[in-house]
Amino acid sequence: LAPWVPVVGLEIHAQISSNSKLFSGSQVQFAAPPNSLVSFFDASLPGTLPVLNRRCVEAAVMTGLALNCSINKKCLFDRKHYFYADLPAGYQITQQRVPIAVNGNLSYSLCIGNKMSQMVTRTVRIKQIQLEQDSGKSLHDDTRSQTLVDLNRAGVGLMEVVMEPDMCCGEEAAAAVRELQLILQTLGSSQAVMAEGQLRVDANVSVHHPGEPYGVRTEVKNINSIRYLAKAVDYEIQRQIEELENGGTILNETRAFDSKLGCTVPMRDKEGKQDYRFMPEPNLPPLILYDAKSLPANMNHQQVVNIDWIHERLPDLPSVKRAKLVEQYGILPEHSFILLNEDGLTEFFENVVRQTQMMPRKVIGWILNDLLSYLKQHSLTVKESPVSSSLLADLLNLLEKKEISAAAAKQVLAELWKGEGKTPLEIVKEKKLELIQDLKELEQICQAVIDGHENEVIMMVLG
Amino acid sequence: PKVTAEVLAHLEHLALVDFRDAEGVERLQKAIQFADQLQEVNTDGVEPMDSVLEDRCLYLREDDVTEGNCAKELLKNAREKVEEYFVAPPGNIPLPKLDEQETSLQGS
């Protein structure tokens, strides 16, 4: 059987972290009373016009720069038409002809093999980033045969990040999205929490034989977590391979991922190819962005988005943060990945290092093997840890000064988890875990052991 | 160019417009012919203009919350509502298929 080459591309919608919406002044907030965060424009009442929110433009420029994109100094807005109850205007304002950023790339890392120590770096090309409006929410009430519509989300700013089909499996897709999520959160351009719908991912999947043209692709939607993304992509790849090997064909359709069944199913309301009848948005002139060179002299500050100004103020991206941790503390790259992956863990680690004489290289073991595994077992976040960085630092100091053994330290830690407010020193004294430093005392103990086990000693001496 | 039944069905589906009878189709055909006159203009080397606003400045708004909190007013427009939600039919109602449409055209 000829081998199959799976091809995976992603369209990611990230909700922009802003106070108000992309084209109107109503508030952006998760979970509010239905239709309470809706302006006349969001409800598409006649006579209303879009007014662009500068913060949303800055968020898109930041994200474009972080993904090594070219920022288009002139970009355009368009209308994408389709009918749905949660799209009151009958069209979405988006950027189809000339989006705000193009031609970037994202590097992410994967563990190959079972050991975490075998990490490889992959790159995925970013085709473009475009600004667009989010739609409202539909709640389907099948029993009463109706749809309830809440427009709170209608008009919220989105950045659509289009990733080229450079990935080949669920694991790569998941790793790429995770890295994008960390970047967005570091920039603050989106909080990117998938569970709150701030980060939505659609996967485009196809398979073909090496050397042959790309196969028909399907679009997979309704993926609600990074774990499900990997599952959905891998399932769809398998489904297509099986279908083709059984002599079937792949339809260019949209499918939904069913997390309960772990499979993809054709989506209703998406039969047949859509014709969106794109047209320029007549109410919005082109968006002009400036840099230090092109900035006109007497322009109102408030009306200017300066790409260079934004570039200078970009925070350290995750990849830079990781490299700095490795250099500063002598830890391994894979350690830096775990540190950045857990909210608050890097801070915790650095706090412990600051308060102890133990080498960071050794501290990291306690952080990753002991602290983190305990937190995971009990589904706690770093912030909820019953053991503070100071307590752990105290414990590690006792170990470093050789007042207790490593085994004893683990015992003390187990006690500390109970969160009873005792200090490590108190627990050591309570459980008599101090290391005996007196040579004479140690000799006496060894002699007593030898005396008490005559037979075993003879066996040992005889070899 | 003649407007085929397929093109007609596609247009009706996209725009939710009912061309209803032969007169409607004839009017559509005339409208297309009228617009086709644009093809006679030589636009070689001319940049397309997509907006009369192209030399205007796109105004940028501050990210402040200035609107919203008018659910009651907005829902006044709704024929039906359920607890502050707008009510809509379940999903998109599928239009009758091509064959059914032809029969209805012949009938009028």
Side-chain angles (χ1 to χ4, degrees), chain A residues 19-21 24-25 35-36 52-54 83 97 145 147 149 277 302-303, chain B residues 14 50 53 59-63 66-67 69 71 84 86 88-90 92:
Chain A
N19 301 326
S20 56
K21 296 184 181 179
S24 67
N35 292 307
S36 61
L52 183 56
N53 178 340
R54 197 182 79 236
F83 288 111
R97 288 165 297 156
S145 206
T147 299
V149 178
R277 291 166 298 147
Q302 201 264 344
Q303 288 303 314
Chain B
L14 289 177
D50 43 53
L53 301 172
Y59 178 77
L60 294 173
R61 185 175 58 81
E62 280 296 322
D63 186 23
T66 55
E67 306 174 274
N69 261 312
E84 260 57 53
F86 293 99
N92 284 341

PDB file of all heavy atoms in Angstrom, chain A residues 19-21 24-25 35-36 52-54 83 97 145 147 149 277 302-303, chain B residues 14 50 53 59-63 66-67 69 71 84 86 88-90 92:
ATOM      1  N   ASN A  19     -11.606  46.867  25.379  1.00  0.00           N
ATOM      2  CA  ASN A  19     -12.758  47.230  26.198  1.00  0.00           C
ATOM      3  C   ASN A  19     -14.036  47.227  25.389  1.00  0.00           C
ATOM      4  O   ASN A  19     -15.089  46.819  25.860  1.00  0.00           O
ATOM      5  CB  ASN A  19     -12.562  48.630  26.800  1.00  0.00           C
ATOM      6  CG  ASN A  19     -11.335  48.711  27.654  1.00  0.00           C
ATOM      7  OD1 ASN A  19     -10.978  47.734  28.324  1.00  0.00           O
ATOM      8  ND2 ASN A  19     -10.653  49.839  27.623  1.00  0.00           N
ATOM      9  N   SER A  20     -13.913  47.746  24.151  1.00  0.00           N
ATOM     10  CA  SER A  20     -15.097  47.870  23.310  1.00  0.00           C
ATOM     11  C   SER A  20     -14.882  47.133  21.982  1.00  0.00           C
ATOM     12  O   SER A  20     -13.794  46.627  21.708  1.00  0.00           O
ATOM     13  CB  SER A  20     -15.399  49.345  23.054  1.00  0.00           C
ATOM     14  OG  SER A  20     -14.284  49.986  22.486  1.00  0.00           O
ATOM     15  N   LYS A  21     -15.953  47.089  21.199  1.00  0.00           N
ATOM     16  CA  LYS A  21     -15.940  46.256  19.995  1.00  0.00           C
ATOM     17  C   LYS A  21     -15.170  46.888  18.830  1.00  0.00           C
ATOM     18  O   LYS A  21     -14.700  48.013  18.917  1.00  0.00           O
ATOM     19  CB  LYS A  21     -17.394  45.946  19.582  1.00  0.00           C
ATOM     20  CG  LYS A  21     -18.122  45.112  20.639  1.00  0.00           C
ATOM     21  CD  LYS A  21     -19.526  44.719  20.192  1.00  0.00           C
ATOM     22  CE  LYS A  21     -20.235  43.907  21.263  1.00  0.00           C
ATOM     23  NZ  LYS A  21     -21.608  43.540  20.864  1.00  0.00           N
ATOM     24  N   SER A  24     -17.807  49.466  17.125  1.00  0.00           N
ATOM     25  CA  SER A  24     -18.784  50.191  17.920  1.00  0.00           C
ATOM     26  C   SER A  24     -18.317  50.282  19.360  1.00  0.00           C
ATOM     27  O   SER A  24     -17.375  49.608  19.768  1.00  0.00           O
ATOM     28  CB  SER A  24     -20.142  49.473  17.861  1.00  0.00           C
ATOM     29  OG  SER A  24     -20.060  48.229  18.515  1.00  0.00           O
ATOM     30  N   GLY A  25     -19.007  51.113  20.143  1.00  0.00           N
ATOM     31  CA  GLY A  25     -18.581  51.372  21.513  1.00  0.00           C
ATOM     32  C   GLY A  25     -19.237  50.515  22.567  1.00  0.00           C
ATOM     33  O   GLY A  25     -19.219  50.863  23.747  1.00  0.00           O
ATOM     34  N   ASN A  35     -28.062  40.229  25.171  1.00  0.00           N
ATOM     35  CA  ASN A  35     -28.325  41.459  24.430  1.00  0.00           C
ATOM     36  C   ASN A  35     -28.145  42.745  25.245  1.00  0.00           C
ATOM     37  O   ASN A  35     -28.671  43.794  24.865  1.00  0.00           O
ATOM     38  CB  ASN A  35     -29.727  41.389  23.792  1.00  0.00           C
ATOM     39  CG  ASN A  35     -29.773  40.346  22.693  1.00  0.00           C
ATOM     40  OD1 ASN A  35     -28.948  40.365  21.783  1.00  0.00           O
ATOM     41  ND2 ASN A  35     -30.707  39.399  22.780  1.00  0.00           N
ATOM     42  N   SER A  36     -27.368  42.667  26.343  1.00  0.00           N
ATOM     43  CA  SER A  36     -27.135  43.870  27.136  1.00  0.00           C
ATOM     44  C   SER A  36     -25.895  44.628  26.656  1.00  0.00           C
ATOM     45  O   SER A  36     -25.678  45.783  27.000  1.00  0.00           O
ATOM     46  CB  SER A  36     -26.976  43.505  28.610  1.00  0.00           C
ATOM     47  OG  SER A  36     -25.856  42.653  28.758  1.00  0.00           O
ATOM     48  N   LEU A  52     -13.913  52.485  13.423  1.00  0.00           N
ATOM     49  CA  LEU A  52     -12.837  51.566  13.775  1.00  0.00           C
ATOM     50  C   LEU A  52     -12.168  51.903  15.104  1.00  0.00           C
ATOM     51  O   LEU A  52     -11.811  53.044  15.381  1.00  0.00           O
ATOM     52  CB  LEU A  52     -11.796  51.528  12.647  1.00  0.00           C
ATOM     53  CG  LEU A  52     -10.608  50.572  12.774  1.00  0.00           C
ATOM     54  CD1 LEU A  52     -11.074  49.137  12.984  1.00  0.00           C
ATOM     55  CD2 LEU A  52      -9.739  50.662  11.522  1.00  0.00           C
ATOM     56  N   ASN A  53     -11.966  50.884  15.938  1.00  0.00           N
ATOM     57  CA  ASN A  53     -11.361  50.994  17.257  1.00  0.00           C
ATOM     58  C   ASN A  53      -9.835  50.901  17.127  1.00  0.00           C
ATOM     59  O   ASN A  53      -9.317  49.884  16.665  1.00  0.00           O
ATOM     60  CB  ASN A  53     -11.915  49.846  18.117  1.00  0.00           C
ATOM     61  CG  ASN A  53     -11.339  49.791  19.520  1.00  0.00           C
ATOM     62  OD1 ASN A  53     -10.283  50.330  19.814  1.00  0.00           O
ATOM     63  ND2 ASN A  53     -12.047  49.093  20.396  1.00  0.00           N
ATOM     64  N   ARG A  54      -9.113  51.932  17.531  1.00  0.00           N
ATOM     65  CA  ARG A  54      -7.658  51.979  17.349  1.00  0.00           C
ATOM     66  C   ARG A  54      -6.955  50.838  18.084  1.00  0.00           C
ATOM     67  O   ARG A  54      -5.982  50.266  17.582  1.00  0.00           O
ATOM     68  CB  ARG A  54      -7.087  53.317  17.821  1.00  0.00           C
ATOM     69  CG  ARG A  54      -5.668  53.566  17.283  1.00  0.00           C
ATOM     70  CD  ARG A  54      -5.054  54.857  17.778  1.00  0.00           C
ATOM     71  NE  ARG A  54      -4.551  54.702  19.129  1.00  0.00           N
ATOM     72  CZ  ARG A  54      -4.918  55.465  20.149  1.00  0.00           C
ATOM     73  NH1 ARG A  54      -5.766  56.451  19.970  1.00  0.00           N
ATOM     74  NH2 ARG A  54      -4.418  55.249  21.342  1.00  0.00           N
ATOM     75  N   PHE A  83     -26.331  34.431   5.035  1.00  0.00           N
ATOM     76  CA  PHE A  83     -27.493  34.600   5.903  1.00  0.00           C
ATOM     77  C   PHE A  83     -27.409  33.675   7.102  1.00  0.00           C
ATOM     78  O   PHE A  83     -27.238  32.477   6.954  1.00  0.00           O
ATOM     79  CB  PHE A  83     -28.784  34.298   5.135  1.00  0.00           C
ATOM     80  CG  PHE A  83     -29.122  35.355   4.130  1.00  0.00           C
ATOM     81  CD1 PHE A  83     -29.041  35.087   2.775  1.00  0.00           C
ATOM     82  CD2 PHE A  83     -29.504  36.624   4.543  1.00  0.00           C
ATOM     83  CE1 PHE A  83     -29.345  36.064   1.848  1.00  0.00           C
ATOM     84  CE2 PHE A  83     -29.805  37.606   3.619  1.00  0.00           C
ATOM     85  CZ  PHE A  83     -29.723  37.332   2.269  1.00  0.00           C
ATOM     86  N   ARG A  97      -9.380  41.384   0.498  1.00  0.00           N
ATOM     87  CA  ARG A  97      -8.448  41.750  -0.568  1.00  0.00           C
ATOM     88  C   ARG A  97      -7.058  42.024  -0.025  1.00  0.00           C
ATOM     89  O   ARG A  97      -6.078  41.421  -0.440  1.00  0.00           O
ATOM     90  CB  ARG A  97      -8.935  42.974  -1.324  1.00  0.00           C
ATOM     91  CG  ARG A  97     -10.131  42.746  -2.223  1.00  0.00           C
ATOM     92  CD  ARG A  97     -10.753  44.059  -2.631  1.00  0.00           C
ATOM     93  NE  ARG A  97     -11.260  44.790  -1.480  1.00  0.00           N
ATOM     94  CZ  ARG A  97     -11.422  46.111  -1.448  1.00  0.00           C
ATOM     95  NH1 ARG A  97     -11.120  46.856  -2.467  1.00  0.00           N
ATOM     96  NH2 ARG A  97     -11.907  46.700  -0.352  1.00  0.00           N
ATOM     97  N   SER A 145     -38.408  24.086  18.236  1.00  0.00           N
ATOM     98  CA  SER A 145     -38.116  24.391  16.841  1.00  0.00           C
ATOM     99  C   SER A 145     -37.824  25.878  16.630  1.00  0.00           C
ATOM    100  O   SER A 145     -38.449  26.536  15.802  1.00  0.00           O
ATOM    101  CB  SER A 145     -39.315  23.971  15.976  1.00  0.00           C
ATOM    102  OG  SER A 145     -38.886  23.690  14.668  1.00  0.00           O
ATOM    103  N   THR A 147     -34.566  29.169  17.301  1.00  0.00           N
ATOM    104  CA  THR A 147     -33.198  29.529  17.673  1.00  0.00           C
ATOM    105  C   THR A 147     -33.255  30.817  18.483  1.00  0.00           C
ATOM    106  O   THR A 147     -33.912  31.778  18.090  1.00  0.00           O
ATOM    107  CB  THR A 147     -32.345  29.771  16.413  1.00  0.00           C
ATOM    108  OG1 THR A 147     -32.303  28.573  15.648  1.00  0.00           O
ATOM    109  CG2 THR A 147     -30.923  30.153  16.792  1.00  0.00           C
ATOM    110  N   VAL A 149     -31.301  34.058  19.881  1.00  0.00           N
ATOM    111  CA  VAL A 149     -30.123  34.795  19.438  1.00  0.00           C
ATOM    112  C   VAL A 149     -29.698  35.847  20.460  1.00  0.00           C
ATOM    113  O   VAL A 149     -30.499  36.672  20.893  1.00  0.00           O
ATOM    114  CB  VAL A 149     -30.403  35.485  18.079  1.00  0.00           C
ATOM    115  CG1 VAL A 149     -29.190  36.293  17.639  1.00  0.00           C
ATOM    116  CG2 VAL A 149     -30.749  34.442  17.028  1.00  0.00           C
ATOM    117  N   ARG A 277     -19.970  36.541  -2.159  1.00  0.00           N
ATOM    118  CA  ARG A 277     -20.164  37.826  -2.863  1.00  0.00           C
ATOM    119  C   ARG A 277     -19.392  38.954  -2.175  1.00  0.00           C
ATOM    120  O   ARG A 277     -19.946  39.961  -1.763  1.00  0.00           O
ATOM    121  CB  ARG A 277     -21.647  38.164  -2.962  1.00  0.00           C
ATOM    122  CG  ARG A 277     -22.387  37.219  -3.904  1.00  0.00           C
ATOM    123  CD  ARG A 277     -23.890  37.313  -3.750  1.00  0.00           C
ATOM    124  NE  ARG A 277     -24.315  36.921  -2.413  1.00  0.00           N
ATOM    125  CZ  ARG A 277     -25.366  37.456  -1.782  1.00  0.00           C
ATOM    126  NH1 ARG A 277     -26.084  38.387  -2.359  1.00  0.00           N
ATOM    127  NH2 ARG A 277     -25.685  37.043  -0.573  1.00  0.00           N
ATOM    128  N   GLN A 302      -3.611  60.774  18.202  1.00  0.00           N
ATOM    129  CA  GLN A 302      -4.662  59.818  18.473  1.00  0.00           C
ATOM    130  C   GLN A 302      -5.104  59.112  17.186  1.00  0.00           C
ATOM    131  O   GLN A 302      -5.641  58.026  17.217  1.00  0.00           O
ATOM    132  CB  GLN A 302      -5.836  60.565  19.126  1.00  0.00           C
ATOM    133  CG  GLN A 302      -6.787  59.704  19.909  1.00  0.00           C
ATOM    134  CD  GLN A 302      -7.989  59.297  19.082  1.00  0.00           C
ATOM    135  OE1 GLN A 302      -8.256  59.885  18.041  1.00  0.00           O
ATOM    136  NE2 GLN A 302      -8.684  58.280  19.531  1.00  0.00           N
ATOM    137  N   GLN A 303      -4.804  59.744  16.052  1.00  0.00           N
ATOM    138  CA  GLN A 303      -5.235  59.183  14.773  1.00  0.00           C
ATOM    139  C   GLN A 303      -4.156  58.350  14.105  1.00  0.00           C
ATOM    140  O   GLN A 303      -4.313  57.913  12.972  1.00  0.00           O
ATOM    141  CB  GLN A 303      -5.651  60.328  13.823  1.00  0.00           C
ATOM    142  CG  GLN A 303      -6.970  60.972  14.231  1.00  0.00           C
ATOM    143  CD  GLN A 303      -8.077  59.946  14.284  1.00  0.00           C
ATOM    144  OE1 GLN A 303      -8.240  59.125  13.376  1.00  0.00           O
ATOM    145  NE2 GLN A 303      -8.838  59.947  15.372  1.00  0.00           N
TER     146      GLN A 303
ATOM    147  N   LEU B  14     -28.919  32.854  -3.038  1.00  0.00           N
ATOM    148  CA  LEU B  14     -27.950  33.752  -2.404  1.00  0.00           C
ATOM    149  C   LEU B  14     -28.594  35.016  -1.874  1.00  0.00           C
ATOM    150  O   LEU B  14     -28.279  35.496  -0.806  1.00  0.00           O
ATOM    151  CB  LEU B  14     -26.873  34.164  -3.414  1.00  0.00           C
ATOM    152  CG  LEU B  14     -25.879  33.107  -3.839  1.00  0.00           C
ATOM    153  CD1 LEU B  14     -24.962  33.697  -4.889  1.00  0.00           C
ATOM    154  CD2 LEU B  14     -25.079  32.608  -2.668  1.00  0.00           C
ATOM    155  N   ASP B  50     -12.066  51.502  -5.571  1.00  0.00           N
ATOM    156  CA  ASP B  50     -13.105  50.717  -4.926  1.00  0.00           C
ATOM    157  C   ASP B  50     -13.908  51.523  -3.929  1.00  0.00           C
ATOM    158  O   ASP B  50     -14.843  51.024  -3.349  1.00  0.00           O
ATOM    159  CB  ASP B  50     -12.513  49.479  -4.238  1.00  0.00           C
ATOM    160  CG  ASP B  50     -11.254  49.784  -3.492  1.00  0.00           C
ATOM    161  OD1 ASP B  50     -11.267  50.702  -2.664  1.00  0.00           O
ATOM    162  OD2 ASP B  50     -10.248  49.110  -3.742  1.00  0.00           O
ATOM    163  N   LEU B  53     -14.253  57.115  -1.030  1.00  0.00           N
ATOM    164  CA  LEU B  53     -13.639  57.616   0.193  1.00  0.00           C
ATOM    165  C   LEU B  53     -12.136  57.380   0.205  1.00  0.00           C
ATOM    166  O   LEU B  53     -11.484  57.566   1.214  1.00  0.00           O
ATOM    167  CB  LEU B  53     -14.251  56.899   1.405  1.00  0.00           C
ATOM    168  CG  LEU B  53     -15.758  57.016   1.604  1.00  0.00           C
ATOM    169  CD1 LEU B  53     -16.203  56.078   2.723  1.00  0.00           C
ATOM    170  CD2 LEU B  53     -16.139  58.444   1.922  1.00  0.00           C
ATOM    171  N   TYR B  59     -11.122  57.378  10.342  1.00  0.00           N
ATOM    172  CA  TYR B  59     -11.111  57.862  11.721  1.00  0.00           C
ATOM    173  C   TYR B  59     -10.935  56.687  12.688  1.00  0.00           C
ATOM    174  O   TYR B  59     -11.608  55.668  12.578  1.00  0.00           O
ATOM    175  CB  TYR B  59     -12.418  58.612  12.008  1.00  0.00           C
ATOM    176  CG  TYR B  59     -12.516  59.101  13.434  1.00  0.00           C
ATOM    177  CD1 TYR B  59     -11.816  60.232  13.847  1.00  0.00           C
ATOM    178  CD2 TYR B  59     -13.282  58.418  14.369  1.00  0.00           C
ATOM    179  CE1 TYR B  59     -11.890  60.673  15.154  1.00  0.00           C
ATOM    180  CE2 TYR B  59     -13.363  58.852  15.682  1.00  0.00           C
ATOM    181  CZ  TYR B  59     -12.656  59.986  16.079  1.00  0.00           C
ATOM    182  OH  TYR B  59     -12.726  60.423  17.376  1.00  0.00           O
ATOM    183  N   LEU B  60     -10.035  56.840  13.664  1.00  0.00           N
ATOM    184  CA  LEU B  60      -9.800  55.805  14.674  1.00  0.00           C
ATOM    185  C   LEU B  60     -10.400  56.239  16.002  1.00  0.00           C
ATOM    186  O   LEU B  60     -10.134  57.330  16.490  1.00  0.00           O
ATOM    187  CB  LEU B  60      -8.298  55.562  14.845  1.00  0.00           C
ATOM    188  CG  LEU B  60      -7.570  54.977  13.645  1.00  0.00           C
ATOM    189  CD1 LEU B  60      -6.077  54.954  13.874  1.00  0.00           C
ATOM    190  CD2 LEU B  60      -8.082  53.573  13.339  1.00  0.00           C
ATOM    191  N   ARG B  61     -11.182  55.349  16.579  1.00  0.00           N
ATOM    192  CA  ARG B  61     -11.883  55.640  17.825  1.00  0.00           C
ATOM    193  C   ARG B  61     -11.078  55.153  19.020  1.00  0.00           C
ATOM    194  O   ARG B  61     -10.398  54.126  18.934  1.00  0.00           O
ATOM    195  CB  ARG B  61     -13.228  54.893  17.746  1.00  0.00           C
ATOM    196  CG  ARG B  61     -14.197  55.109  18.858  1.00  0.00           C
ATOM    197  CD  ARG B  61     -15.513  54.383  18.513  1.00  0.00           C
ATOM    198  NE  ARG B  61     -15.312  52.959  18.296  1.00  0.00           N
ATOM    199  CZ  ARG B  61     -15.220  52.060  19.268  1.00  0.00           C
ATOM    200  NH1 ARG B  61     -15.306  52.420  20.523  1.00  0.00           N
ATOM    201  NH2 ARG B  61     -15.014  50.793  18.966  1.00  0.00           N
ATOM    202  N   GLU B  62     -11.173  55.870  20.161  1.00  0.00           N
ATOM    203  CA  GLU B  62     -10.559  55.409  21.406  1.00  0.00           C
ATOM    204  C   GLU B  62     -11.309  54.179  21.909  1.00  0.00           C
ATOM    205  O   GLU B  62     -12.514  54.063  21.714  1.00  0.00           O
ATOM    206  CB  GLU B  62     -10.669  56.495  22.489  1.00  0.00           C
ATOM    207  CG  GLU B  62      -9.643  57.604  22.412  1.00  0.00           C
ATOM    208  CD  GLU B  62      -8.225  57.103  22.628  1.00  0.00           C
ATOM    209  OE1 GLU B  62      -8.011  56.216  23.467  1.00  0.00           O
ATOM    210  OE2 GLU B  62      -7.331  57.604  21.935  1.00  0.00           O
ATOM    211  N   ASP B  63     -10.600  53.298  22.599  1.00  0.00           N
ATOM    212  CA  ASP B  63     -11.202  52.056  23.077  1.00  0.00           C
ATOM    213  C   ASP B  63     -11.986  52.268  24.376  1.00  0.00           C
ATOM    214  O   ASP B  63     -11.641  51.733  25.428  1.00  0.00           O
ATOM    215  CB  ASP B  63     -10.089  51.015  23.285  1.00  0.00           C
ATOM    216  CG  ASP B  63     -10.634  49.637  23.639  1.00  0.00           C
ATOM    217  OD1 ASP B  63     -11.798  49.351  23.311  1.00  0.00           O
ATOM    218  OD2 ASP B  63      -9.888  48.870  24.271  1.00  0.00           O
ATOM    219  N   THR B  66     -18.953  53.166  25.280  1.00  0.00           N
ATOM    220  CA  THR B  66     -19.841  54.327  25.215  1.00  0.00           C
ATOM    221  C   THR B  66     -21.273  53.956  24.854  1.00  0.00           C
ATOM    222  O   THR B  66     -22.148  54.806  24.809  1.00  0.00           O
ATOM    223  CB  THR B  66     -19.347  55.326  24.140  1.00  0.00           C
ATOM    224  OG1 THR B  66     -19.239  54.606  22.905  1.00  0.00           O
ATOM    225  CG2 THR B  66     -17.999  55.906  24.505  1.00  0.00           C
ATOM    226  N   GLU B  67     -21.484  52.675  24.515  1.00  0.00           N
ATOM    227  CA  GLU B  67     -22.827  52.276  24.085  1.00  0.00           C
ATOM    228  C   GLU B  67     -23.216  50.937  24.697  1.00  0.00           C
ATOM    229  O   GLU B  67     -22.409  50.270  25.334  1.00  0.00           O
ATOM    230  CB  GLU B  67     -22.860  52.099  22.559  1.00  0.00           C
ATOM    231  CG  GLU B  67     -22.367  53.277  21.764  1.00  0.00           C
ATOM    232  CD  GLU B  67     -22.309  52.947  20.280  1.00  0.00           C
ATOM    233  OE1 GLU B  67     -21.280  52.399  19.840  1.00  0.00           O
ATOM    234  OE2 GLU B  67     -23.300  53.220  19.578  1.00  0.00           O
ATOM    235  N   ASN B  69     -26.220  48.415  26.758  1.00  0.00           N
ATOM    236  CA  ASN B  69     -27.194  48.472  27.860  1.00  0.00           C
ATOM    237  C   ASN B  69     -28.561  48.976  27.429  1.00  0.00           C
ATOM    238  O   ASN B  69     -29.184  49.774  28.133  1.00  0.00           O
ATOM    239  CB  ASN B  69     -26.679  49.401  28.970  1.00  0.00           C
ATOM    240  CG  ASN B  69     -26.050  48.579  30.064  1.00  0.00           C
ATOM    241  OD1 ASN B  69     -26.648  47.599  30.508  1.00  0.00           O
ATOM    242  ND2 ASN B  69     -24.849  48.933  30.452  1.00  0.00           N
ATOM    243  N   ALA B  71     -31.004  46.641  25.952  1.00  0.00           N
ATOM    244  CA  ALA B  71     -31.678  45.422  25.507  1.00  0.00           C
ATOM    245  C   ALA B  71     -33.172  45.656  25.303  1.00  0.00           C
ATOM    246  O   ALA B  71     -33.768  45.235  24.317  1.00  0.00           O
ATOM    247  CB  ALA B  71     -31.446  44.295  26.509  1.00  0.00           C
ATOM    248  N   GLU B  84     -35.412  38.085  26.863  1.00  0.00           N
ATOM    249  CA  GLU B  84     -34.307  38.939  26.400  1.00  0.00           C
ATOM    250  C   GLU B  84     -33.487  38.333  25.244  1.00  0.00           C
ATOM    251  O   GLU B  84     -32.448  38.871  24.893  1.00  0.00           O
ATOM    252  CB  GLU B  84     -33.324  39.273  27.561  1.00  0.00           C
ATOM    253  CG  GLU B  84     -33.541  40.644  28.167  1.00  0.00           C
ATOM    254  CD  GLU B  84     -34.945  40.833  28.678  1.00  0.00           C
ATOM    255  OE1 GLU B  84     -35.416  39.987  29.482  1.00  0.00           O
ATOM    256  OE2 GLU B  84     -35.593  41.802  28.265  1.00  0.00           O
ATOM    257  N   PHE B  86     -33.558  37.270  21.120  1.00  0.00           N
ATOM    258  CA  PHE B  86     -34.333  37.323  19.889  1.00  0.00           C
ATOM    259  C   PHE B  86     -34.673  35.886  19.518  1.00  0.00           C
ATOM    260  O   PHE B  86     -33.914  34.970  19.806  1.00  0.00           O
ATOM    261  CB  PHE B  86     -33.503  37.937  18.745  1.00  0.00           C
ATOM    262  CG  PHE B  86     -33.174  39.385  18.932  1.00  0.00           C
ATOM    263  CD1 PHE B  86     -31.940  39.778  19.424  1.00  0.00           C
ATOM    264  CD2 PHE B  86     -34.114  40.376  18.604  1.00  0.00           C
ATOM    265  CE1 PHE B  86     -31.624  41.114  19.601  1.00  0.00           C
ATOM    266  CE2 PHE B  86     -33.808  41.719  18.781  1.00  0.00           C
ATOM    267  CZ  PHE B  86     -32.564  42.092  19.282  1.00  0.00           C
ATOM    268  N   ALA B  88     -35.496  33.228  16.397  1.00  0.00           N
ATOM    269  CA  ALA B  88     -35.365  33.026  14.958  1.00  0.00           C
ATOM    270  C   ALA B  88     -35.761  31.587  14.632  1.00  0.00           C
ATOM    271  O   ALA B  88     -35.769  30.738  15.517  1.00  0.00           O
ATOM    272  CB  ALA B  88     -33.923  33.289  14.527  1.00  0.00           C
ATOM    273  N   PRO B  89     -36.084  31.324  13.354  1.00  0.00           N
ATOM    274  CA  PRO B  89     -36.396  29.941  12.989  1.00  0.00           C
ATOM    275  C   PRO B  89     -35.182  29.051  13.219  1.00  0.00           C
ATOM    276  O   PRO B  89     -34.061  29.545  13.257  1.00  0.00           O
ATOM    277  CB  PRO B  89     -36.731  30.010  11.501  1.00  0.00           C
ATOM    278  CG  PRO B  89     -36.873  31.449  11.175  1.00  0.00           C
ATOM    279  CD  PRO B  89     -36.152  32.232  12.208  1.00  0.00           C
ATOM    280  N   PRO B  90     -35.367  27.726  13.347  1.00  0.00           N
ATOM    281  CA  PRO B  90     -34.247  26.830  13.619  1.00  0.00           C
ATOM    282  C   PRO B  90     -33.349  26.691  12.398  1.00  0.00           C
ATOM    283  O   PRO B  90     -33.730  26.087  11.425  1.00  0.00           O
ATOM    284  CB  PRO B  90     -34.932  25.490  13.923  1.00  0.00           C
ATOM    285  CG  PRO B  90     -36.250  25.573  13.225  1.00  0.00           C
ATOM    286  CD  PRO B  90     -36.642  27.010  13.175  1.00  0.00           C
ATOM    287  N   ASN B  92     -31.154  27.707   8.909  1.00  0.00           N
ATOM    288  CA  ASN B  92     -31.636  28.294   7.665  1.00  0.00           C
ATOM    289  C   ASN B  92     -32.687  27.388   7.037  1.00  0.00           C
ATOM    290  O   ASN B  92     -32.479  26.199   6.892  1.00  0.00           O
ATOM    291  CB  ASN B  92     -30.482  28.515   6.687  1.00  0.00           C
ATOM    292  CG  ASN B  92     -29.649  29.720   7.081  1.00  0.00           C
ATOM    293  OD1 ASN B  92     -30.093  30.568   7.827  1.00  0.00           O
ATOM    294  ND2 ASN B  92     -28.428  29.786   6.581  1.00  0.00           N
TER     295      ASN B  92
END
